[in-house]
Amino acid sequence: EAAAVVFSSGLPVTLVPLDVTTQVAMDELHLAHLSASNTRSGQMLARMIEYPMTQGLDVPAGRFLVHDALAVGILLWPKLFLQSQMGLNVVLDGPQRGRTLPAVGKKAIGKASVVLSVQAADFLEKMLELLCHEKFVV
């Protein structure tokens, strides 16, 4: 219901859906790089993601999805993302409740810029460079 309110608000909205955020995963090499960095941000992030990465809580062990980082990354590096403007509807009832769908051939509750894909390797490289204050090649 909150998403329906946001999409119908008339404000500019960018949606980064899960099928895009799951394209970007850190691995054990990224974790090692963060741990060895000389920055508090890199070392803190390494400590935060070590447990879920080693336990395989949401994805196979040895990987960590950076969902929220993509929402920030699109503001920092928009050229890494393929986007499309489209009408959206949010299912408010039934078993699909909460699902956001493109409004194809029907009236949309609102329009948003929807991210369709991301250049995952380039995104990870830029994110690690920012966090560790050094060059990194994925």
Side-chain angles (χ1 to χ4, degrees), residues 30-83:
H30 299 122
L31 179 64
H33 190 84
L34 288 167
S35 295
S37 74
N38 289 324
T39 65
R40 287 178 46 181
S41 58
Q43 292 172 357
M44 182 178 74
L45 181 59
R47 287 192 304 274
M48 290 171 58
I49 68 173
E50 183 175 15
Y51 179 79
M53 182 181 281
T54 58
Q55 299 302 307
L57 300 178
D58 293 324
V59 293
R63 293 174 39 101
F64 182 81
L65 298 175
V66 291
H67 301 290
D68 296 337
L70 272 85
V72 174
I74 195 164
L75 298 171
L76 298 173
W77 312 295
K79 292 182 179 181
L80 298 180
F81 297 83
L82 176 62
Q83 302 177 62

Side-chain angles (χ1 to χ4, degrees), residues 2 5 12-14 24 26 36-37 42 44 46 50 53 55 75-76 88 90 93-94 97 114 122-124 134 136-137:
V5 171
V13 175
T14 300
V24 181
M26 295 179 71
S37 74
M44 182 178 74
E50 183 175 15
M53 182 181 281
Q55 299 302 307
L75 298 171
L76 298 173
L88 296 172
V90 179
D93 298 308
R97 185 171 189 258
V114 178
D122 292 337
F123 177 84
L124 283 169
E134 60 188 69
F136 184 80
V137 177

